Amino acid sequence: MQVVISGYGKMGHMIEGILLNKRMEVALASEDVCSVDPEIAKESVCIDFTTPEAFKANYKFIAEHFKAAVIGTTGWDDIREEVIAAFEKAGTPMIYSANFSIGVNAVFAAVEKACEILNCHGYIPHIEEIHHIHKKDAPSGTAKTLASIVEKGIGIRPDITSFREGEVPGTHIVKFKSEVDKIKISHKAYSRVGFAEGAVYAATLTEGLSGVHEFKDLILK
């Protein structure tokens, strides 16, 4: 499998290292994915970790030119339908997620199951998330995904409290409080490696895949 990395910041460098360790081919790592030779693109999976603004400007090129795409960029919920439509029209497989960490996806599953049990028993949910000061979106995409899972499960949209401090990779805590007890489900990342490893794993899942999929729906079946 051949990969083009879109966005060559900390995550891009980390993804490159993982790909090379796995002896997977890195065709190119670029801050400007639209400059990639279409001949290279059509044989490559694009792994995108850029900014919301960059992805909004680039998604049509990615959909129309690449073999497949893994999108780790968040902050494009406002154009979700247009993005999905573009990939479906082009026939380009796409896997997206607010968080590609396998551990976080296990938390998604745990929260979904907890909601099944707690529904109709008077629990009030709340979500807290902590990230490094460079993160541009608040709340995080992961926190929004957790909020959607909770809302779907118990019919209450939880408030989200966001903190930005230092260089912390990311912490997410989902709380359920009733008159008799409190439950916490949490995930704390020690580094960004888990996000990068999950994205590379997602790239391998694009082989033989069709359509647009959220990562958690592929691995939590």
Side-chain angles (χ1 to χ4, degrees), residues 131-151:
H131 279 88
H132 53 84
I133 58 174
H134 310 292
K135 187 166 180 61
K136 296 184 187 249
D137 56 327
S140 69
T142 303
K144 290 178 181 177
T145 297
L146 287 165
S148 295
I149 292 171
V150 171
E151 184 176 22

Side-chain angles (χ1 to χ4, degrees), residues 60-80:
K60 289 182 180 177
F61 181 89
I62 296 172
E64 292 169 2
H65 292 87
F66 279 87
K67 179 181 179 181
V70 172
I71 308 300
T73 304
T74 59
W76 48 275
D77 284 353
D78 55 321
I79 61 164
R80 180 181 297 271

Side-chain angles (χ1 to χ4, degrees), residues 73-166:
T73 304
T74 59
W76 48 275
D77 284 353
D78 55 321
I79 61 164
R80 180 181 297 271
E81 291 184 6
E82 294 97 311
V83 171
I84 292 174
F87 279 87
E88 288 181 341
K89 180 180 178 181
T92 302
M94 170 185 162
I95 301 174
Y96 70 96
S97 181
N99 196 315
F100 279 100
S101 161
I102 300 299
V104 165
N105 280 272
V107 168
F108 289 159
V111 171
E112 185 174 329
K113 185 62 178 179
C115 287
E116 290 179 11
I117 297 168
L118 300 177
N119 190 26
C120 300
H121 290 285
Y123 283 84
I124 303 301
H126 183 265
I127 293 171
E128 181 178 303
E129 59 100 351
I130 308 167
H131 279 88
H132 53 84
I133 58 174
H134 310 292
K135 187 166 180 61
K136 296 184 187 249
D137 56 327
S140 69
T142 303
K144 290 178 181 177
T145 297
L146 287 165
S148 295
I149 292 171
V150 171
E151 184 176 22
K152 182 179 179 181
I154 65 174
I156 300 172
R157 184 76 179 185
D159 291 333
I160 302 172
T161 303
S162 299
F163 298 96
R164 297 291 176 264
E165 58 186 50

